[in-house]
């Protein structure tokens, strides 16, 4: 089965890369740049949004990181990353909480958007602090986000928590550090980070005038 991965190492594609490494299936990587190929006609035919990541699996396209994680978990069940019946509610609840309220809240805060108290009912995350408190409770409820076992939801939620803590878009909390300590040392996570780090643009060495 043909599996092609479109990405840039400085993008949310790092989430999809981790998921691809977790399922252990061969895939082809197509690197795109922001200034040219990501907005080129060939890629726009795959994702009209002109954003990465995207995967094409046997001629079918999947975009959006949460969808890619869920799709790969279900399509390759031998990896054991799809939810059991007991895990399903928390799995979908928290994966899409991260895709909706967490991402929206973090982006708004990063852009300096403050939601007035009387308008919080209009946004999915309510207030930034409410979102963070809810996320903290989610990662503290069980060993992993859906229960006592690592699933694809941990790839997605864990990526958001990791970026937020590392880049300061989420506050430092012991619960976040503990959760990251349980998931980020996985061989697939380490391998995916090494692959993408090696693909990062090389910095030219500084020279004296």
């Amino acid at each position: 089965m043909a599996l092609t991965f479109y990405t840039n190492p400085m993008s949310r594609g790092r989430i999809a890369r981790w998921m691809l490494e977790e399922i252990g299936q061969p895939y082809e990587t197509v690197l795109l740049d922001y200034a040219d190929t990501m907005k080129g006609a060939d890629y726009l035919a795959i994702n009209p949004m002109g954003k990465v990541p995207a995967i094409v699996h046997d001629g079918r396209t999947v975009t959006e990181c949460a969808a890619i994680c869920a799709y790969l978990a279900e399509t390759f069940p031998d990896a054991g990353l799809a939810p059991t019946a007991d895990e399903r509610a928390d799995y979908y609840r928290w994966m899409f909480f991260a895709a909706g309220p967490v991402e929206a809240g973090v982006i708004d805060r990063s852009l300096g958007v403050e939601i007035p108290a009387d308008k919080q009912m209009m946004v999915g995350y309510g207030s930034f602090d409410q979102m963070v408190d809810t996320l903290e409770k989610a990662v503290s409820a069980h060993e992993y986000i859906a229960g006592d076992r690592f699933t694809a939801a941990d790839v997605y939620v864990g990526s958001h928590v990791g970026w937020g803590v590392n880049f300061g878009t989420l506050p430092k909390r012991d619960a976040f550090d503990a959760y990251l300590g349980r998931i980020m040392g996985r061989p697939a996570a380490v391998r995916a980070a090494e692959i993408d780090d090696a693909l990062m643009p090389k910095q030219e060495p500084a020279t004296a005038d």
Side-chain angles (χ1 to χ4, degrees):
M1 294 184 289
L3 182 56
T4 305
F5 172 45
Y6 297 85
T7 190
N8 180 289
M10 300 174 65
S11 76
R12 293 172 179 83
R14 296 178 77 99
I15 303 175
R17 171 85 70 185
W18 179 6
M19 186 65 197
L20 285 161
E21 290 299 315
E22 287 282 357
I23 65 170
Q25 297 294 318
Y27 63 93
E28 176 189 3
T29 299
V30 177
L31 290 178
L32 302 173
D33 64 82
Y34 286 99
D36 184 17
T37 51
M38 208 176 292
K39 307 300 181 183
D42 288 347
Y43 186 63
L44 291 177
I46 294 168
N47 185 1
M49 290 290 291
K51 292 180 175 292
V52 291
I55 62 169
V56 176
H57 178 230
D58 285 349
R60 293 180 173 86
T61 299
V62 185
T63 63
E64 316 314 318
C65 284
I68 290 171
C69 289
Y71 175 85
L72 291 174
E74 293 179 15
T75 302
F76 299 99
D78 288 348
L81 298 172
T84 64
D86 289 340
E87 296 165 340
R88 193 170 292 126
D90 282 341
Y91 175 95
Y92 285 110
R93 177 186 183 185
W94 297 118
M95 182 182 288
F96 291 103
F97 180 80
V102 173
E103 178 148 358
V106 165
I107 293 297
D108 278 357
R109 174 60 64 93
S110 299
L111 294 174
V113 176
E114 293 293 335
I115 308 300
D118 64 340
K119 303 295 184 185
Q120 290 176 3
M121 68 185 70
M122 298 175 63
V123 295
Y125 62 90
S127 71
F128 182 82
D129 291 340
Q130 182 182 16
M131 176 275 290
V132 173
D133 289 346
T134 302
L135 181 62
E136 180 180 20
K137 290 177 183 176
V139 303
S140 304
H142 309 285
E143 192 78 3
Y144 298 100
I145 200 67
D148 299 326
R149 186 180 67 93
F150 183 91
T151 65
D154 291 293
V155 174
Y156 190 74
V157 176
S159 293
H160 278 280
V161 174
W163 283 351
V165 169
N166 289 335
F167 292 103
T169 55
L170 287 174
K172 295 283 288 183
R173 296 197 176 177
D174 290 344
F176 293 156
D177 290 341
Y179 176 57
L180 293 174
R182 293 193 289 273
I183 65 173
M184 296 308 294
R186 291 178 62 84
V190 173
R191 189 166 59 247
E194 290 174 346
I195 293 170
D196 277 324
D197 288 348
L199 294 172
M200 294 283 280
K202 299 295 187 290
Q203 297 289 332
E204 292 294 332
T207 57
D209 291 336

